[in-house]
Amino acid sequence: MDVVLIGQMAAIALLGAALYTIIGIAPGTDETAVLAPVTLVLVISGLEPILVLTFFIAAIVAKKLTDSIPVAVAGIPGGVMSAPMVEHAMVLKKYGKPDVSIRKMASGSVIGTIISVPLSLLLATALVPLADVIEQYSSQIFFFGAIFLALMTKNRWFAVLSIVPFAFVIQGLRNLYWELDIVPEDTTVFTSFFLGITIGPVILKLFELLNGRVRRNLPRYGTKTIEMRRTKAEKGFPNPFKILNKNETISSAVSSVLGVLTFFMSPVGMTIFLGEMITSRIKDPVKRAARAISSMDGLTNAAYLSGTLVPLIAIGYPLSPTALGPGHALFNAPPVYTYEHNLHHILSMNDFVMATVIGAVIAIGLTFFITIKYAQPICAFVFKYIPHEAMLGLFFGLVMMLAYMDAGVLNIAGVLVIGLVAGFMHRKGVNYGVQFMTLYAAPWLVGLIF
């Protein structure tokens, strides 16, 4: 590998980190919605495969570092993966510590990255001999993953029983589009359905507001006064191992390992499960929230990196929610990449290592510094100038636009249907993890019945 190529990798990693540092701060920027299109454009443009991968790694690390900010200051997920952390972040906000929340989450992300990069590469190497078997049973893995996550929820039997009907809704809409020639039969509408699930609770609430009686019964609030605790300015480059205490560091490290080993599971579902498991015995609300968000953010970062790297290196087939969502263009982006000819077939193991290390190191160096150094000013800016409603409206508009791009006007109605069903299921205790796994397994599951 020559010096010129390494310089190009460093430059594009810096570009990816800078771009997604800004995007991550904006609330409602779903990982799939903001990463998949850009990655696809880079692939189609003919950019060198190793540069595409470097950009993607830097982007995902930066995005996961900064999406803690809208969660901490406004209680709105920066993306799907940060949704499970909202409840714990709001506890810290209630006690006047949103900046502490940002620092804890960002530090957990750094630990997750540090642990997941080498562990993902090792796991991918170990799974290479099993690639054919794993690819053959990918849909079954998703289906049993949905059942496992459903059994981990409080309303477990409702969650389990909802899997098959929800799969029929998803696949029924796809078949409708094929029958009406809205999309070719070799095209599967995926991204907009994914995002419809993401904003399901929002869509359900918006439809409820059309009912006058519901609107009249909503609680009314006056102007809120928000107080923030003044903190000392960080000197030098922040150290995540000093920001987190010993127990938080250990929990983040263990969570990161778990995130890598369960790369094929829904990161959202595993994050929810882990957060409840780790904090169940901690009574102090501030300590419980700090431990939860640092551990959960470590798992999400690890799950995203391993969910991309392990299937890409070992199999060349998108056998994980991350690979099927944000990273799908790395596997399949006709006419440049197909399942028979993608990064798995083009890059060597040394290429994967170099692209991952350069992308991750540059993203941490830039984004972690900015996130920690300016956490409080960023909090204050968002509180003063960015309305909650504007954040939700931006995200909702983005989903509707992508729905139209996927399958035209009819798909906007289809995504609203998916959102209403998903929102109802979410309200009844069926978490995002179960719903996403059902989305991935729907074609196989419906085909099994018919």
Side-chain angles (χ1 to χ4, degrees):
M1 187 174 292
D2 57 41
V3 177
V4 175
L5 182 58
I6 292 176
Q8 292 174 339
M9 293 167 67
I12 200 164
L14 188 62
L15 173 64
L19 177 62
Y20 282 91
T21 295
I22 298 170
I23 291 175
I25 292 173
T29 48
D30 172 74
E31 294 88 354
T32 300
V34 298
L35 263 170
V38 175
T39 307
L40 180 61
V41 169
L42 292 178
V43 171
I44 299 298
S45 69
L47 191 68
E48 286 287 330
I50 194 170
L51 297 181
V52 174
L53 180 60
T54 305
F55 177 90
F56 183 86
I57 295 297
I60 198 64
V61 172
K63 175 71 174 68
K64 294 312 301 164
L65 274 164
T66 53
D67 67 7
S68 59
I69 294 175
V71 173
V73 300
I76 299 176
V80 177
M81 288 303 305
S82 55
M85 305 170 205
V86 171
E87 181 181 351
H88 299 289
M90 288 300 93
V91 171
L92 291 174
K93 179 183 174 182
K94 177 183 176 182
Y95 284 88
K97 299 180 178 182
D99 55 311
V100 173
S101 179
I102 293 174
R103 291 186 172 95
K104 297 287 187 181
M105 292 170 76
S107 299
S109 285
V110 171
I111 291 175
T113 302
I114 292 172
I115 289 177
S116 66
V117 168
L119 193 57
S120 296
L121 296 172
L122 289 172
L123 180 60
T125 303
L127 289 177
V128 169
L130 302 174
D132 293 338
V133 177
I134 293 173
E135 182 178 346
Q136 182 180 355
Y137 294 102
S138 58
S139 296
Q140 292 91 323
I141 291 173
F142 287 134
F143 174 62
F144 287 110
I147 293 177
F148 171 77
L149 292 176
L151 291 173
M152 294 298 105
T153 62
K154 292 180 179 179
N155 199 357
R156 59 175 61 91
W157 297 119
F158 178 85
V160 170
L161 292 173
S162 71
I163 292 173
V164 173
F166 192 45
F168 270 84
V169 172
I170 293 167
Q171 206 59 18
L173 285 170
R174 287 170 174 166
N175 277 277
L176 175 64
Y177 297 164
W178 293 330
E179 289 292 330
L180 296 177
D181 291 327
I182 292 175
V183 297
E185 289 194 12
D186 59 348
T187 300
T188 299
V189 176
F190 178 84
T191 301
S192 56
F193 284 4
F194 186 99
L195 296 176
I197 294 172
T198 302
I199 65 166
V202 175
I203 292 175
L204 181 61
K205 177 58 70 175
L206 288 174
F207 270 80
E208 285 182 338
L209 292 176
L210 296 175
N211 187 318
R213 187 181 64 180
V214 172
R215 291 198 307 273
R216 287 190 295 270
N217 290 333
L218 288 174
R220 265 61 177 178
Y221 302 100
T223 302
K224 290 186 177 180
T225 300
I226 299 173
E227 298 179 357
M228 293 181 61
R229 182 173 63 92
R230 184 177 295 278
T231 57
K232 295 180 180 179
E234 293 282 339
K235 295 181 179 179
F237 193 87
N239 185 345
F241 297 99
K242 290 184 178 180
I243 294 172
L244 301 179
N245 62 36
K246 182 179 178 181
N247 289 332
E248 291 165 352
T249 301
I250 293 173
S251 295
S252 297
V254 172
S255 302
S256 301
V257 173
L258 181 63
V260 173
L261 297 178
T262 58
F263 71 92
F264 55 90
M265 298 289 286
S266 166
V268 180
M270 291 305 299
T271 302
I272 294 170
F273 170 67
L274 179 80
E276 294 176 354
M277 182 181 69
I278 286 180
T279 61
S280 59
R281 296 185 179 181
I282 302 175
K283 295 183 179 180
D284 183 270
V286 174
K287 291 181 179 179
R288 181 170 61 248
R291 176 84 71 88
I293 59 174
S294 57
S295 303
M296 294 164 83
D297 226 303
L299 185 143
T300 60
N301 236 43
Y304 255 76
L305 287 171
S306 62
T308 301
L309 291 173
V310 175
L312 194 59
I313 297 172
I315 308 167
Y317 188 83
L319 186 63
S320 75
T322 307
L324 284 164
H328 194 256
L330 303 176
F331 296 84
N332 188 39
V336 180
Y337 296 155
T338 65
Y339 290 133
E340 291 74 34
H341 178 76
N342 54 41
L343 297 187
H344 171 77
H345 310 90
I346 298 170
L347 300 182
S348 67
M349 189 62 187
N350 287 337
D351 292 335
F352 279 111
V353 172
M354 288 297 294
T356 302
V357 171
I358 290 175
V361 168
I362 289 179
I364 289 175
L366 174 68
T367 308
F368 184 61
F369 176 79
I370 291 175
T371 301
I372 301 301
K373 191 79 171 179
Y374 301 105
Q376 196 169 62
I378 291 171
C379 285
F381 178 84
V382 174
F383 275 133
K384 288 182 179 179
Y385 302 112
I386 302 180
H388 187 137
E389 295 79 5
M391 301 174 186
L392 293 176
L394 175 66
F395 190 24
F396 184 82
L398 178 64
V399 173
M400 292 301 103
M401 181 191 71
L402 290 172
Y404 179 79
M405 291 174 63
D406 261 357
V409 176
L410 185 60
N411 192 42
I412 294 177
V415 169
L416 290 176
V417 170
I418 292 288
L420 285 170
V421 176
F424 173 78
M425 291 168 61
H426 189 271
R427 183 174 292 180
K428 295 298 181 180
V430 183
N431 63 47
Y432 286 121
V434 177
Q435 296 182 37
F436 287 138
M437 284 290 187
T438 305
L439 173 66
Y440 307 135
W444 171 82
L445 184 56
V446 174
L448 188 67
I449 297 173
F450 288 100

